[in-house]
Amino acid sequence: MRIGFGYDSHRLAEGRKLVLGGVEIPFEKGCVAHSDGDALIHAICDALLGAAGLSDIGSHFPDTDNQYKDIDSRILLEKVVQLIHNQGYKINNIDTTTIIEKPKLADFREQMIQTLSTIMQISPSQMAIKAKTNEKLDAVGAGDAVVCYAVCTIENI
Ligand code: MG
C-alpha cells in the first residue's frame, strides 16, 4: 500500500467558469488557470501521481503546452488513472478537502463523487469530498481563491 498527497490552489475571478470535481458550479467567479482550473481534480491527480512515484501533474501536462489550454480536467484525471493502472496499481481510496468561502458545495457533492468515482473506476464509497470555508481568513477567506487537498492510497493489482 502506498500513500499519496496532493495540493492545488487557484485564484478566483469574474468571467471564468467555476469547475470543481468535474462539475460546473453556477457562481459569479471561477478559477483563473491554463486549464479549466479544476483545483480539486488537480489535487487528486497529484496525490495519485505521488503515490505511484510518478512526479506531479505539471511534469505530465505542462501549462506551457497549448494542447492543455482550457482542457477539461476530467481528461487529465483519466490519463492519470491510466498511468496508475499501467504501473500495476489500483486506487484504494481518496479523501479530499476543498476550502472555498463561497459558494456552498454541499449541493454538488453527490454529483462530484459520481463523476470522479466513475473516472477513477472506484465505488463512491471509496472516496470523500469535504468542503469548508476559511473563516474569512486570507485570500481564500476573502473569496479570491480556492484551495484543495487530497490524500489517496493505492495498492498493487
Ligand atoms: Mg491547478
Side-chain angles (χ1 to χ4, degrees), residues 7 9 21 23 34 43 54 57-58 63 71-72 76 79 83 89 91 95 97 99 103 113-114 120-121 136 138 142 147:
Y7 165 90
S9 63
V23 175
H34 184 71
L54 291 172
I57 190 171
D63 65 5
I71 194 168
D72 182 333
L76 303 182
K79 289 174 187 277
L83 288 168
Y89 296 111
I91 299 166
D95 188 15
T97 297
I99 309 168
I113 289 177
Q114 277 304 333
M120 292 190 284
Q121 301 167 41
K136 300 202 161 48
D138 68 39
V147 161

Side-chain angles (χ1 to χ4, degrees), residues 8-10 33 35 37-39 42 57:
D8 196 32
S9 63
H10 281 283
S35 66
D38 192 329
H42 298 170
I57 190 171

